[in-house]
Structures are given as C-alpha cells and as structure tokens.
Amino acid sequence: MVTVVEAAAEMPDAGARDELARLFRSLSTSVICSALVFEGDGFRAATVRALTTTINLVARQPFPHKVFATVGDAAKWMGTFAALKASAERVVDHVAEARRSLDRLQESAATGPAR
C-alpha cells in the first residue's frame, strides 16, 4: 500500500485519523508493506514526516510501514519486499497513473457534465 499526501494538503482532523487507523486495522491481513509519502520540502514537510514517523512507531502496524519524502524513495523500499512482486519503477508508474486519473476527474468535475 502506498499513500501519497501532497505538500499543500491539510493535516487530517481527529475523526479522519481514527478512520485511517480503522482502515489500517481492517487491511492488516492483506498488506505486505505500507509506504506513506509526505511530499514537499522545507521545515513543515520535514516536521510532518518526523511526527508521523513517531506516531507510527507507537501505533505498531502489523506490517512494515515507513514514511518517505518522495514516491521514488518509497518505491525503492517497497521493491525490497519479494512478496510484493513489483519493481520500484512499477510502483512509481502506478502512482503517476493514479495522479493522471485524479487530474482527469477533477477537470471533468470543474467543467461539468459532457453534453
């Protein structure tokens, strides 16, 4: 599982964090590893990554879980899990395709229904 949080994203509120914790528990038997990517440079991004890493240590996920600054770094780490059967390039490609799909959905929503 790879989760990408863009640099400008707001931190989730308590309710959203509780839902994320429930999601992680419900997926625990299906996940080989989990990478959380907090994109961005600078103090804010580094602080968020550090806090999230600390919280994840306390949470003790039932699968390997790590925080990264870039999708590429996360993909390299994920590629070390033989059971995943995915190269780092493939992970990066899947994230790029998900971004393109999201962009198309957002453009479609902004322009309204097709006539």
Side-chain angles (χ1 to χ4, degrees), residues 7-82:
E10 295 293 320
M11 292 298 291
D13 62 22
R17 288 191 305 271
D18 289 344
E19 283 300 316
L20 287 169
R22 278 193 278 284
L23 174 66
F24 270 55
R25 282 191 300 275
S26 72
L27 295 173
S28 65
T29 59
S30 304
V31 175
I32 296 167
C33 64
S34 171
L36 177 57
V37 180
F38 275 104
E39 296 181 320
D41 297 319
F43 180 76
R44 180 183 183 274
T47 301
V48 169
R49 284 190 291 273
L51 288 171
T52 304
T53 297
T54 302
I55 291 167
N56 288 331
L57 288 172
V58 174
R60 293 190 168 163
Q61 301 300 337
F63 43 79
H65 179 74
K66 198 167 176 182
V67 179
F68 297 91
T70 68
V71 171
D73 289 343
K76 287 176 192 169
W77 176 75
M78 294 175 81
T80 65
F81 292 87

